[in-house]
Amino acid sequence: MGLFGTDGVRGKAGEKVTASAALRLAMATGIYFKPKAKTKKILVGKDTRRSGYMIENAIVAGLTAVGFDVIQIGPMPTPAIAFITENMRCDAGIMISASHNPYYDNGIKFFDNKGNKLSKDIENEIAKIYDNSDLIEASQEVEKTIGRSKRIDVAEGRYIVHIKNSFPKELTLSGIRVVIDCANGAGYKAGPTILDELGADVKVIGNNPSGYNINETCGAMHPEVLANAVREYRADLGIALDGDADRIVLVDENGNIIDGDKLMGALAIYLDKKGKLKNKKFVTTIMSNKALDDFLKEYGIETFRSAVGDKNVATLMREVDTNFGGEESGHVIFSDYSATGDGILSGLQALAYMVESGKRASELFNPFELYPQVKQNLIVTEKVPLENIKGLDKLKKEIDDANIRHLFRYSGTENKLRLLLEGGDKKELNRLMDKSIEFFKKALS
């Protein structure tokens, strides 16, 4: 089992993410955290996949075997796990989810006692323990030191109150109609509850999880469904979550999908106007459109770029000392309230901006024009290191000479090579993308 990818462990449940692998991984995680443990408690949550039952029980067995007490809180958004882990003084948190992937995949994400995702160094240490059969065997507890588990149902209330407190207390959503698509996933209870308690007229879709329909023709992966619902209900805003609710896609009152870079640019300006954008700095990834950097620069806001992944965004946010960042794909981080991306929280901040400004979503969240981009995914059988591909430097130089930004990278979770070109001349973009596709197909065949 190749352990950690871009965001924890992920793969087909029962094939890569098996019960035996989850058991061993939980034991390795417990062994790593044991010397640092203060409460000997680890929080475990999950999304709505059927395979979550299998993986959850295996994780509980593994953690209790090495002496940890486990708190199980059931289906809950990933950012809720991050928050409750710190709030309940747990030594670590574990979320069982494959995020936006289909139901047949599953994954395991890890958080430290502050709700931060684990660094690559820590993941490597856990991977070493995972491979050390002698250490795992010797670390199993006996008699009174074996751990125990308990399931609690009140933890979600803590998260709901916390997220509601991020919404300005002097504001209400009364008179605002919102459609929320919960992707039949982990946010199917918390999302609608929070909007309803803040006074919104809420229309809910994608809130009937079966164990097999998470992300299926719904949620952030299929925002066109939300767009149709917004038009049907004449809503002021549409909010689409993904399977574990750490990601958001918004739809304006006309049923148009709001670009992620435009959303982050507008929210950065909103925070800055309120004096709440720390050090006038913003963090995004190498995937974001350069037009976002240029737009924020006009307001004196400096943009920093990390590698892909909201974990990398959060790490760079701490390094440059700011409180706002995100990915164009919908992971948006308001670190004053959450250590990781939170779709429900991000939706509330967008709604707060709408209420305070009195303007419609179509006006607020379209603050600049994007530079043209073309993207392509190529399926690969082997992830040959890009630096080892002969002739790639020559191709990149040709692209650079055309004043076009390029990004070639492998997916962290799939056997795909992702290609992105960005520049002012659409015809030249398409020509160079065709050339790049032809080059990689030949080079990787």
Side-chain angles (χ1 to χ4, degrees), residues 31-94:
I31 292 167
Y32 173 81
F33 279 105
K34 190 180 292 187
K36 308 165 186 61
K38 295 180 179 179
T39 63
K40 284 287 185 74
K41 294 189 299 183
I42 290 183
L43 187 79
V44 176
K46 60 182 179 179
D47 64 22
T48 57
R49 295 164 211 266
R50 177 65 63 90
S51 59
Y53 293 103
M54 169 187 77
I55 298 166
E56 180 183 26
N57 287 326
I59 287 174
V60 170
L63 292 174
T64 54
V66 296
F68 274 92
D69 291 340
V70 181
I71 300 173
Q72 298 166 258
I73 58 176
M76 199 83 74
T78 288
I81 305 305
F83 167 70
I84 297 169
T85 294
E86 181 179 25
N87 187 257
M88 295 189 69
R89 306 302 189 268
C90 295
D91 293 312
I94 296 176

Side-chain angles (χ1 to χ4, degrees), residues 354-365:
M354 288 174 59
V355 173
E356 286 192 14
S357 68
K359 297 179 180 178
R360 290 188 171 275
S362 58
E363 181 180 356
L364 282 184
F365 302 121

Side-chain angles (χ1 to χ4, degrees), residues 297-315:
K297 189 175 181 181
E298 295 176 11
Y299 291 85
I301 298 172
E302 188 176 5
T303 300
F304 297 82
R305 287 181 179 250
S306 75
V308 173
D310 69 329
K311 175 169 67 175
N312 296 316
V313 172
T315 299

Side-chain angles (χ1 to χ4, degrees), residues 263-281:
L263 172 64
M264 291 190 297
L267 291 175
I269 297 305
Y270 170 57
L271 290 176
D272 189 48
K273 285 179 179 177
K274 292 170 67 72
K276 292 185 176 181
L277 181 62
K278 192 174 183 181
N279 294 321
K280 292 182 77 74
K281 294 177 179 179

Side-chain angles (χ1 to χ4, degrees), residues 129-369:
I129 298 170
Y130 180 93
D131 290 330
N132 190 336
S133 296
D134 291 340
L135 178 57
I136 286 181
E137 188 67 29
S139 299
Q140 296 186 54
E141 300 290 346
V142 296
E143 299 179 354
K144 294 182 179 180
T145 55
I146 294 173
R148 61 181 179 175
S149 70
K150 64 178 178 179
R151 186 176 296 275
I152 61 173
D153 300 319
V154 297
E156 188 171 47
R158 296 183 183 221
Y159 172 70
I160 288 172
V161 169
H162 173 66
I163 296 303
K164 282 174 59 182
N165 285 339
S166 74
F167 192 78
K169 288 182 171 55
E170 68 276 12
L171 301 181
T172 174
L173 291 177
S174 178
I176 303 292
R177 179 172 292 179
V178 181
V179 179
I180 182 169
D181 186 341
C182 302
N184 293 315
Y188 80 102
K189 290 181 181 178
T193 298
I194 290 169
L195 292 170
D196 180 69
E197 291 186 2
L198 288 171
D201 177 4
V202 188
K203 306 296 181 184
V204 188
I205 59 177
N207 66 326
N208 292 296
S210 67
Y212 307 119
N213 60 358
I214 188 170
N215 299 313
E216 183 180 14
T217 321
C218 60
M221 298 304 292
H222 297 277
E224 68 280 0
V225 175
L226 175 64
N228 290 333
V230 167
R231 287 189 284 263
E232 178 184 351
Y233 292 116
R234 294 187 175 88
D236 298 293
L237 189 71
I239 298 173
L241 306 175
D242 68 342
D244 66 337
D246 67 348
R247 178 176 163 191
I248 190 175
V249 173
L250 294 185
V251 170
D252 70 20
E253 75 281 359
N254 299 315
N256 295 318
I257 297 166
I258 296 169
D259 178 81
D261 282 333
K262 291 184 178 183
L263 172 64
M264 291 190 297
L267 291 175
I269 297 305
Y270 170 57
L271 290 176
D272 189 48
K273 285 179 179 177
K274 292 170 67 72
K276 292 185 176 181
L277 181 62
K278 192 174 183 181
N279 294 321
K280 292 182 77 74
K281 294 177 179 179
F282 165 74
V283 174
T284 188
T285 74
I286 52 178
M287 293 297 292
S288 278
N289 198 291
K290 191 176 181 298
L292 173 59
D293 307 52
D294 294 343
F295 168 71
L296 293 178
K297 189 175 181 181
E298 295 176 11
Y299 291 85
I301 298 172
E302 188 176 5
T303 300
F304 297 82
R305 287 181 179 250
S306 75
V308 173
D310 69 329
K311 175 169 67 175
N312 296 316
V313 172
T315 299
L316 186 54
M317 285 170 62
R318 292 191 292 270
E319 289 175 2
V320 303
D321 195 21
T322 190
N323 60 349
F324 183 59
E327 297 188 276
E328 43 79 40
S329 60
H331 294 114
V332 185
I333 304 173
F334 295 85
S335 65
D336 288 345
Y337 305 105
S338 179
T340 189
D342 189 319
I344 301 170
L345 169 62
S346 301
L348 282 192
Q349 301 312 303
L351 285 165
Y353 192 12
M354 288 174 59
V355 173
E356 286 192 14
S357 68
K359 297 179 180 178
R360 290 188 171 275
S362 58
E363 181 180 356
L364 282 184
F365 302 121
N366 190 29
F368 61 91
E369 291 302 316

